[in-house]
Amino acid sequence: MAPNADPDVAKGAPANRAEFLEVYQKLKSQLLEDTEAFTYTDDSRRWVARMLDYNVPGGKLNRGLSVVDSLKHLKNGVELSEEEKLLASVLGWCIEWLQAYFLVLDDIMDSSITRRGQPCWYRVPQVGFIAINDGILLRNHIFRMLRWYFRSKAYYLELNDLFNEVEFQTSAGQMLDLITTPAGEVDLSKYVISTYIKIVQCKTAYYSFYLPVACALLMMGKNLENYKPTQDILVLMGTYFQVQDDYLDCYGDPHFIGKIGTDIEDSKCSWLIVQALKRANCDQRQCLLDNYGKADPTCVSKVKTIYNELALQSVFSEYEKEVYDKLVAEIENQEDHALQTVLKAFLGKIYKRQK
Amino acid sequence: MAPNADPDVAKGAPANRAEFLEVYQKLKSQLLEDTEAFTYTDDSRRWVARMLDYNVPGGKLNRGLSVVDSLKHLKNGVELSEEEKLLASVLGWCIEWLQAYFLVLDDIMDSSITRRGQPCWYRVPQVGFIAINDGILLRNHIFRMLRWYFRSKAYYLELNDLFNEVEFQTSAGQMLDLITTPAGEVDLSKYVISTYIKIVQCKTAYYSFYLPVACALLMMGKNLENYKPTQDILVLMGTYFQVQDDYLDCYGDPHFIGKIGTDIEDSKCSWLIVQALKRANCDQRQCLLDNYGKADPTCVSKVKTIYNELALQSVFSEYEKEVYDKLVAEIENQEDHALQTVLKAFLGKIYKRQK
Ligand SMILES: [Mg+2]
Ligand SMILES: [Mg+2]
Ligand SMILES: [Mg+2]
Ligand SMILES: [Mg+2]
Ligand SMILES: [Mg+2]
Ligand SMILES: [Mg+2]
C-alpha cells in the first residue's frame, strides 16, 4: 500500500487499548514499590493496589487514549518512537488518575450509589470516609509519575503548571456546581445559561477535552501560551459534549447509553431545564417549579410534557447544528494542519453521538 | 548596645504576628480577585472568602511563622529585606493553607465535632460535604500562590516538588493511620511502636517540622539533597512533639492545654497505649483490651491505672531525656552554625513543654 493511501489509518491509527493498559500495570507497580518519599507497609500496599484497580482503569479511557492519538496526529503520521508512546501513555494515565480522583470525591459529595456498574468506592465495606484520603492519594500519585518520567524534560515546569491549573479549574467548577445546586434545597432561579456554561466548562471541559491535547502539544515542544484559540475550541467542544449528555439523559435510548436517566428526579442543573425555564410561560414555569426534582414518576412525566411543549428536541438540534458549524469554522481557522486533524478527530467522535 | 550583645534578639527576633496576618489579608484578596484560570461569581467569591477566614488563620500559626524565623536565623541576623520578609511569609501561609486543607478533610474522616473552639467546617449549616471540595480548593490555592510569587525564582521547581512530596507523605501517613485505626473496629495488636513512628513521622513531622525549614533553606539557595541529616533531625523532633502531645493528653494539665484529653475513649493509637501494650503482663494486657476505646469513665480509669502501674510517666521522662540528648548531639554535628541556631530554636520551643 502506498504511503498515506489511507490517511486515517496512517496518521491516526487509534491508540492500542491493550498496550495502554500495560502501561497502567507498569505505573501501578512503580507506585507500590516507590520508596523515595514513603515506603508502604504490606497492609497499606494491598490497600492502595486494590484502590487503584477499583477506581482507575475501569472507565472508557477516552481521555487517556486521546493523548496518544493526539500526539500521533500532531506528528503528521510519523511513527511514534517507543519512548514517545510510553510518555504519551503516562500522560494519558495521569489524566485517568485525575479523573478517578475527581470521581471518588464527587460520588461522596453527591451521595451516589453506583459508578461504572459497581458500588461507588466509598460505599464498599471497610472503605467509607477513607475514600476521601484515597482520592487525595490518587491526586498525589500524578505528581510522582510526572516527576519520574518528565523531570529532565524542558517542559516539566509547564506540565506541572498545566495539571495544577486544570485541577484548580475543575475544583472551582465543582464549587460552583455545589453551591448552585445544593442537595435538598434547589433554587431553580439559579439555573440560568451563563451559570450552566461556566460550571460545565470548568468541571468537565478543561480536563476532558483541553488537557489531553495540551499534554500532546507540550510533548511537541509547543508553548501553550500560543494555543489560546485551540483551548477555546476544545472547551466549546467539551461544553457541547455535556449538553449532549444532558439531552441524552432524557431523550437518548437507555439501551444505547446503558442507563436510565434521572436528571429530572435529581434536580440536576441540566441544559434541558435551563432551556425550559428560559422559554416557559407563567403556567409552565409554575409546573416546572412544582414538579422538578421529585422522584414521583407523575412529576417526572409532567416535566417531560413541558419539555415537549417547548419543543426542546428541536431547540437541541438547532444548537447542535450551530455549534458544529462554529467548531468546523474555527478549526479550519487554525494554521497548523496537524492540529486541525486532532481537533476534527475529537469532533468526529462526538458529533451526533447516540451514547 | 554592642552588635550581637544579645544574640537571641539580634539573630532571632521572632516574626511579627501582626505583620504575618497582614500578608494573609493580601493573599486572600489576590486569590479572590484572581481571574487567570477562573473568575468567581459573587456567590462563590463570598463562599470562598468565608471558608478561608473560617479555616486558615485561626490556629497558632507556629508553622507559618517559623519560616520567617528560620530565614532570619539562616541569614545570621542580617536584617531581612522587605521582599524576603514577604516571600518567607507567603511560604509560611502556604504551610498554613496546607494544614487547613489537611484538617478540614481529617475532621470529616474522624467525624470530629469541634476544631479550634468552633464547629468543624463540615458541621457548619449549609456546608456538609461541600467541605470536601473546599479542602481541595485550599490545596489548589497553594500552587496559585507559589506560582505568583516564585515562578521567576531559580528554586521554583524545587519548591513545587517539595510541597508535592510533603503532601504525598502526609496523605500516605493518613492512610496508614486510617487503616491501622479504623473507626469502630480497633485491633490493638496493630498498635506497635514501628507503626506508631511511621504514622507520626508521615502525617505530622514532615509538614510541621521539616517543611518550614526546607522552605527557608530553598530561599537561601540551598540544595535540599544536601540536607538529609537536617531532615532526619526535624523529623525526629516532630516525632518527639507528637509523643508529648499523646503524653499531655493523659498527664497534662487541662488548664494549660485547653482541653480534656479523650485519646483513651477514642481508641487513639497513642504513644502511651503502645508503650503500655509492650510492657503489660497477661492480666494487664487483657484489662487494656477490655477497656480501651470505651466512653465509660470506669473503663478510662482502669486504663489509666495500668498506665500508672507500668510507670509510663517515668518511661516518658526517660524517653524525653534520651531524645533531647540525641537531638542536641546531632544538632551540634551540623556544620552550618546558622542552621544549628534554627534547629536549637525549634527544640527550645518544645522541650519539656506543658501545653
Ligand atoms: Mg456526581
Ligand atoms: Mg457532583
Ligand atoms: Mg448526565
Ligand atoms: Mg483528627
Ligand atoms: Mg485523623
Ligand atoms: Mg492529641
Side-chain angles (χ1 to χ4, degrees):
Chain A
M1 192 172 74
N4 285 337
D6 180 347
D8 277 352
V9 172
K11 291 194 190 166
N16 183 324
R17 205 183 154 89
E19 266 179 44
F20 189 63
L21 279 162
E22 274 169 33
V23 177
Y24 167 74
Q25 291 302 338
K26 186 185 167 90
L27 291 169
K28 179 184 149 194
S29 304
Q30 272 182 293
L31 286 165
L32 296 175
E33 282 147 29
D34 178 19
T35 57
E36 228 182 314
F38 175 81
T39 306
Y40 290 99
T41 57
D42 289 345
D43 278 356
S44 61
R45 188 179 294 107
R46 259 192 302 274
W47 181 277
V48 174
R50 173 165 164 254
M51 186 272 285
L52 292 177
D53 287 342
Y54 198 93
N55 293 295
V56 177
K60 292 190 285 284
L61 308 182
N62 285 338
R63 294 168 183 80
L65 288 165
S66 70
V67 180
V68 186
D69 284 336
S70 298
L71 187 65
K72 281 184 189 168
H73 286 306
L74 287 176
K75 295 206 51 164
N76 263 310
V78 178
E79 191 66 35
L80 299 187
S81 71
E82 285 304 308
E83 201 215 351
E84 286 170 329
K85 227 189 282 178
L86 174 64
L87 293 182
S89 301
V90 170
L91 290 179
W93 279 111
C94 285
I95 300 177
E96 294 294 333
W97 246 264
L98 188 71
Q99 153 109 331
Y101 149 56
F102 292 142
L103 297 183
V104 164
L105 298 185
D106 182 67
D107 284 341
I108 305 172
M109 292 187 273
D110 293 344
S111 307
S112 298
I113 309 292
T114 58
R115 159 82 59 193
R116 296 172 178 168
Q118 55 183 8
C120 298
W121 176 238
Y122 81 98
R123 293 184 54 99
V124 170
Q126 261 91 56
V127 178
F129 285 154
I130 300 181
I132 297 176
N133 195 64
D134 287 334
I136 299 301
L137 280 175
L138 288 167
R139 193 231 150 261
N140 277 276
H141 286 168
I142 297 167
F143 290 84
R144 306 299 299 159
M145 298 188 281
L146 292 181
R147 193 177 143 96
W148 292 332
Y149 286 91
F150 297 94
R151 204 171 199 279
S152 65
K153 302 289 175 194
Y155 54 88
Y156 179 61
L157 196 60
E158 279 69 31
L159 201 52
N160 264 287
D161 281 351
L162 173 66
F163 272 88
N164 277 323
E165 177 160 308
V166 170
E167 183 189 346
F168 173 62
Q169 287 165 321
T170 310
S171 47
Q174 270 284 26
M175 171 184 57
L176 216 53
D177 187 21
L178 289 161
I179 68 177
T180 305
T181 68
E185 34 172 328
V186 169
D187 172 3
L188 290 187
S189 73
K190 289 188 177 165
Y191 287 18
V192 295
I193 191 72
S194 57
T195 307
Y196 174 83
I197 287 181
K198 198 164 173 128
I199 292 174
V200 167
Q201 285 183 346
C202 292
K203 77 167 208 177
T204 306
Y206 283 111
Y207 92 86
S208 305
F209 284 78
Y210 171 61
L211 183 56
V213 176
C215 283
L217 286 167
L218 283 179
M219 281 192 69
M220 293 291 291
K222 304 294 187 188
N223 179 348
L224 294 180
E225 290 295 317
N226 303 329
Y227 287 84
K228 292 288 170 204
T230 312
Q231 178 174 12
D232 292 342
I233 291 171
L234 286 159
V235 168
L236 180 56
M237 247 189 263
T239 310
Y240 165 42
F241 182 85
Q242 184 60 43
V243 172
Q244 289 176 312
D245 193 82
D246 292 352
Y247 177 80
L248 293 171
D249 189 89
C250 178
Y251 291 112
D253 182 342
H255 223 80
F256 275 150
I257 54 177
K259 61 178 177 189
I260 294 163
T262 57
D263 282 0
I264 294 172
E265 290 89 327
D266 298 344
S267 277
K268 285 280 167 67
C269 181
S270 152
W271 185 83
L272 292 170
I273 187 70
V274 168
Q275 295 301 331
L277 288 165
K278 193 168 109 184
R279 288 171 166 77
N281 63 29
C282 264
D283 289 352
Q284 288 168 324
R285 185 178 182 88
Q286 194 53 53
C287 178
L288 290 171
L289 296 180
D290 293 341
N291 293 289
Y292 202 68
K294 307 251 159 81
D296 179 353
T298 325
C299 297
V300 175
S301 105
K302 281 187 189 161
V303 172
K304 288 197 181 180
T305 303
I306 296 194
Y307 284 1
N308 291 334
E309 287 170 19
L310 296 169
L312 291 193
Q313 288 188 276
S314 353
V315 175
F316 172 76
S317 299
E318 240 159 84
Y319 164 81
E320 182 161 58
K321 192 186 160 350
E322 253 171 53
V323 78
Y324 180 78
D325 289 347
K326 184 167 185 212
L327 284 167
V328 170
E330 294 194 357
I331 289 171
E332 287 176 351
N333 257 338
Q334 300 274 302
E335 269 169 43
D336 181 340
H337 263 260
L339 187 55
Q340 286 195 12
T341 321
V342 172
L343 298 170
K344 281 184 181 166
F346 265 86
L347 184 54
K349 271 183 210 144
I350 65 171
Y351 181 53
K352 293 208 164 165
R353 72 188 173 98
Q354 302 295 318
K355 57 168 185 172
Chain B
M1 194 169 73
N4 285 339
D6 181 347
D8 276 352
V9 172
K11 290 194 190 167
N16 182 323
R17 202 182 155 90
E19 264 179 44
F20 189 63
L21 280 161
E22 273 171 35
V23 178
Y24 167 74
Q25 291 302 338
K26 186 185 166 93
L27 291 169
K28 178 183 150 195
S29 304
Q30 272 181 293
L31 286 165
L32 296 174
E33 282 149 29
D34 177 19
T35 57
E36 229 182 313
F38 175 82
T39 306
Y40 290 100
T41 58
D42 289 345
D43 278 355
S44 61
R45 188 180 293 106
R46 259 192 303 273
W47 182 277
V48 174
R50 175 166 163 252
M51 187 272 286
L52 291 177
D53 287 342
Y54 198 93
N55 294 295
V56 178
K60 293 190 285 283
L61 308 182
N62 285 338
R63 294 169 182 79
L65 286 164
S66 69
V67 180
V68 186
D69 284 336
S70 299
L71 187 65
K72 280 184 189 167
H73 286 306
L74 287 177
K75 295 206 50 161
N76 264 310
V78 179
E79 188 67 34
L80 299 187
S81 71
E82 285 304 308
E83 201 214 352
E84 286 169 328
K85 225 188 287 178
L86 175 63
L87 292 184
S89 301
V90 171
L91 290 179
W93 279 111
C94 285
I95 300 177
E96 294 294 334
W97 246 265
L98 189 70
Q99 153 111 330
Y101 149 55
F102 292 141
L103 298 182
V104 164
L105 298 185
D106 182 68
D107 284 341
I108 305 173
M109 291 188 274
D110 293 343
S111 307
S112 298
I113 308 292
T114 58
R115 160 80 62 192
R116 296 171 179 168
Q118 57 183 7
C120 298
W121 178 236
Y122 81 99
R123 294 184 54 98
V124 169
Q126 261 90 57
V127 178
F129 286 154
I130 300 182
I132 297 177
N133 196 64
D134 286 334
I136 298 301
L137 280 175
L138 288 167
R139 193 233 149 259
N140 278 276
H141 286 168
I142 297 168
F143 291 82
R144 306 299 301 159
M145 296 188 282
L146 293 181
R147 193 178 143 95
W148 291 333
Y149 285 91
F150 297 94
R151 203 171 200 280
S152 64
K153 302 291 174 193
Y155 54 89
Y156 178 61
L157 197 59
E158 279 69 32
L159 200 53
N160 264 285
D161 280 351
L162 173 67
F163 272 87
N164 278 323
E165 178 160 306
V166 171
E167 184 191 344
F168 173 61
Q169 288 165 322
T170 310
S171 46
Q174 271 283 25
M175 172 185 54
L176 217 51
D177 188 22
L178 289 161
I179 68 176
T180 306
T181 69
E185 33 172 329
V186 168
D187 171 3
L188 290 187
S189 72
K190 290 188 176 166
Y191 287 19
V192 295
I193 192 71
S194 56
T195 308
Y196 174 83
I197 287 181
K198 196 161 175 132
I199 292 174
V200 167
Q201 285 183 346
C202 292
K203 77 167 210 179
T204 306
Y206 282 111
Y207 91 87
S208 303
F209 283 78
Y210 172 61
L211 184 55
V213 177
C215 283
L217 286 168
L218 283 180
M219 280 191 69
M220 294 292 290
K222 304 294 187 190
N223 179 349
L224 294 180
E225 290 295 318
N226 304 330
Y227 287 84
K228 292 290 170 200
T230 312
Q231 178 174 12
D232 291 343
I233 291 171
L234 287 159
V235 169
L236 180 56
M237 246 190 261
T239 311
Y240 167 43
F241 182 85
Q242 184 61 45
V243 172
Q244 290 176 312
D245 194 81
D246 292 351
Y247 177 80
L248 293 171
D249 188 89
C250 179
Y251 291 110
D253 182 340
H255 222 80
F256 274 150
I257 55 176
K259 61 177 176 190
I260 295 163
T262 57
D263 282 359
I264 295 172
E265 291 90 327
D266 298 345
S267 277
K268 285 279 166 68
C269 182
S270 153
W271 184 84
L272 292 170
I273 187 69
V274 168
Q275 295 301 331
L277 289 166
K278 194 167 109 185
R279 289 171 166 76
N281 63 29
C282 263
D283 289 351
Q284 289 168 325
R285 186 179 182 85
Q286 193 54 52
C287 178
L288 291 171
L289 295 180
D290 292 343
N291 293 289
Y292 201 67
K294 307 250 159 81
D296 179 354
T298 324
C299 298
V300 175
S301 104
K302 283 187 188 161
V303 172
K304 287 197 179 177
T305 303
I306 296 196
Y307 285 1
N308 291 334
E309 287 170 19
L310 296 170
L312 291 192
Q313 286 187 276
S314 354
V315 176
F316 173 76
S317 299
E318 240 159 83
Y319 164 81
E320 183 162 56
K321 193 187 159 351
E322 252 172 53
V323 79
Y324 180 78
D325 290 346
K326 181 165 187 215
L327 283 167
V328 170
E330 293 195 356
I331 289 171
E332 287 176 352
N333 258 338
Q334 298 275 302
E335 271 170 41
D336 181 340
H337 262 260
L339 187 54
Q340 286 194 13
T341 321
V342 172
L343 298 170
K344 283 185 179 163
F346 264 87
L347 184 54
K349 270 182 210 147
I350 65 171
Y351 181 53
K352 296 208 164 168
R353 71 190 174 95
Q354 302 297 319
K355 58 169 184 171

